[in-house]
């Protein structure tokens, strides 16, 4: 099969990879119909994370082509969406809603779904079937649910976005925009998107942002305080993952408020004393997307949300290298790869 | 009046300080009947925090001697316990239960309650009157409520200690021991105290610890996992505040579990990537003791808890320097100063 492999930083190739086969009886082989490039794929692309002939990709939708003997909830031909983290969905951690910390967790990034097919372990615990064959438009929305929507949604839930709350979202990338969508769906009263890009501001407003703040760092914190009677936001989503953005998010959260964070790069060092005196509640990590997938699929099927709008560049898989370049150069927010 | 002043690291003196007077109509003057030395007082004593002829102390109980014109809930002669953080208890942050982040917050450490008297601003919002005159024994328990019990209690609440939960407490100082007491009162099923001092282990068991773990760092994390089916504790209290202890606490918390932290020293730098992949919920900061004071006073009055046992050395105020030495040299867990 064809698949994306990064040979070295900046060197993205689409080449022949071995076809996957069933190994364990809980596996499924999925023929992928769409995949995409994640902001986190840029870490190895930019050499921030080690990379050496590494298959890429962890977001995926597709059709079940083959199942292992123990797969119960799926059948060949089902259209499925999967989380970017493999989970059995039966262990004690999964049952508490933290499937991304499953005792059997594996990151799908190690499988590499920027490819024609993928072997998905623990298929029952990782994949969710859609009610039927999706339209081309629905495919885009469902693909978003695999990571970027699920992650933004988790960030908003971790930040306890909800009725009566003012939610500030640090970061206007795809995850930040999805967090705005989620905050709106969760009933937040006021949603402040922190963005200085006009086209992303427009999309943030489309998804429910009531205010835009262009300032960053200390000036950004000051602006959020100015908008919240000097107190800070009840709920803050951190969707960038740098030192500056994380501390901006901490500073924008009111005492006793909630911070949801869904990405922290390798260089971030959080000064304990600043976290301490902030007096906040913080939750984050790789998003337990599997917890939310059934609800997200239903919202997409009902036409209640349109997360697929975050894909602003669509390319065939064979042109993945151009997709990486476009995201690296910020010409695209999120690239969808067709198969 | 007489009061403790640290002239320079290690140089503790009891000397004349100016008598406090009412300045704002919301003030009260409290004649202190007991005060104590906190683990955090050792930071300036050891030169970790700057100190220069600094009045010391932030824990206190005593009798109201004078009130400002706007004080409503207290009268002269009331026996009171106060939080170590001044709060108005009426602002939006206070009403949400985070009085230690009050818009009018001041740290009592800036007042210095290792002294005969103290001016307490926002007396209605900071002090709580006891049902009557306490016995000498009750004074010890009430004094603990002012910080060390209130802080340990908050840590256990922040860690969501409760029925069905396994709680691990990192730190066997006074706050850690109080967190054990709190976890027991909150109904935790299993309470693991991390301690290698036999006398503190005994006190931890007295307060409700069901297990003792002597290992620290990675070995400590491994032991907690071994005791929890490989998952980690549901709830972890961090009550030391060093780099090693904080990362031990993060590592001992299961995915989706809760970490409550109530002290982080100036040197702690939390590696973002480790916090991220731990996938935990963390809450901490200076404890909103005022939230818990009414309940804690009632539990003490009912004889349900005996937090005063953490004081293992009692000295007259004039001998404060020996008290600091004893805590610095770990000859005492917590020193009570009588007046």
């Amino acid at each position: 099969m064809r698949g994306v492999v990064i040979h070295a930083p900046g060197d993205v190739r689409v080449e022949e990879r071995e076809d996957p086969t069933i190994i364990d009886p809980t596996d499924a082989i999925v023929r992928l119909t769409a995949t995409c490039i994640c902001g986190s794929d840029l870490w190895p692309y930019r050499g921030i994370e080690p990379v050496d002939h590494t298959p890429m990709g962890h977001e995926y939708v597709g059709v079940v082509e083959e199942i292992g003997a123990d797969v119960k909830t799926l059948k060949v031909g089902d259209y499925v969406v999967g989380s970017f983290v493999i989970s059995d969905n039966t262990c004690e951690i999964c049952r508490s809603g933290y499937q991304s910390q499953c005792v059997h967790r594996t990151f799908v990034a190690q499988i590499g779904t920027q490819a024609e097919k993928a072997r998905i372990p623990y298929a029952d615990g990782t994949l969710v079937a859609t009610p039927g064959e999706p339209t081309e438009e629905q495919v885009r929305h469902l693909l978003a649910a695999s990571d970027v929507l699920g992650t933004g949604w988790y960030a908003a839930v971790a930040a306890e976005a909800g009725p009566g709350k003012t939610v500030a979202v640090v970061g206007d990338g795809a995850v930040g925009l999805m967090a705005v969508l989620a905050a709106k769906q969760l009933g937040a009263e006021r949603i402040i998107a922190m963005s200085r890009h006009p086209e992303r501001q427009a999309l943030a407003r489309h998804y429910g942002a009531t205010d835009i703040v262009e300032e960053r760092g200390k000036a950004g914190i000051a602006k959020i305080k100015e908008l919240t009677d000097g107190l800070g936001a009840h709920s803050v989503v951190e969707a960038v993952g740098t030192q500056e953005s994380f501390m901006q998010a901490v500073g924008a959260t009111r005492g006793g408020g909630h911070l949801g964070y869904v990405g922290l790069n390798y260089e971030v060092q959080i000064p304990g004393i600043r976290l301490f005196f902030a007096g906040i509640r913080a939750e984050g990590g790789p998003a337990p997307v599997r917890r939310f997938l059934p609800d997200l699929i239903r919202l997409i099927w009902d036409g209640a949300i349109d997360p697929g709008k975050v894909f602003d560049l669509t390319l065939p898989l064979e042109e993945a290298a151009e997709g990486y370049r476009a995201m690296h150069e910020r010409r695209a927010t999120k690239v969808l790869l067709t198969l």
Side-chain angles (χ1 to χ4, degrees), chain A residues 28-83:
Chain A
I29 304 298
V30 180
R31 182 175 50 76
L32 305 179
T33 54
T35 181
C36 52
I37 305 173
C38 180
S40 68
D41 291 336
L42 295 181
W43 297 2
Y45 182 81
R46 290 172 175 160
I48 298 169
E49 260 182 44
V51 64
D52 177 21
H53 297 79
T54 310
M56 296 297 297
H58 55 265
E59 300 158 281
Y60 56 104
V61 292
V63 178
V64 175
E65 198 173 71
E66 193 183 347
I67 55 172
D70 292 348
V71 174
K72 301 272 186 285
T73 62
L74 303 167
K75 57 184 192 304
V76 170
D78 277 350
Y79 201 93
V80 291
V81 186
S83 163

Side-chain angles (χ1 to χ4, degrees), chain A residues 3 11 13 16 25 30 37 45 52 73 119 144 161 164 177 213 221 286 299-301 308 311 313 315 317:
Chain A
D11 182 3
R13 303 187 200 176
E16 280 301 311
V30 180
I37 305 173
Y45 182 81
D52 177 21
T73 62
R119 176 180 80 92
L177 292 166
V213 165
I221 294 170
L299 287 168
I300 290 167
W301 222 258
F311 295 108
L313 179 62
L315 295 169
L317 179 72

Side-chain angles (χ1 to χ4, degrees), chain A residues 165-171 190-195 210-237 245 247-255 258-259:
Chain A
K165 299 284 188 75
T166 293
V167 181
V169 178
V170 179
R190 192 175 189 184
I191 304 168
I192 307 169
M194 302 191 88
S195 168
T210 54
D211 301 79
I212 303 286
V213 165
E214 298 204 342
E215 290 84 349
R216 288 187 188 168
K218 283 182 185 176
I221 294 170
K223 192 75 190 175
I224 296 293
K225 295 217 164 166
E226 189 187 314
L227 292 171
T228 54
D229 296 328
L231 303 179
H234 299 97
S235 303
V236 176
V237 166
S245 65
M247 296 318 296
Q248 178 179 322
V250 169
T253 312
R254 65 175 56 194
H258 291 86
L259 167 63

Side-chain angles (χ1 to χ4, degrees), chain A residues 147-157 174-180 182-183 237 262 287:
Chain A
D147 177 355
V148 76
L149 170 61
T151 293
W153 196 278
Y154 168 60
V157 168
V175 172
L177 292 166
M178 294 294 92
V180 169
V237 166
V262 284

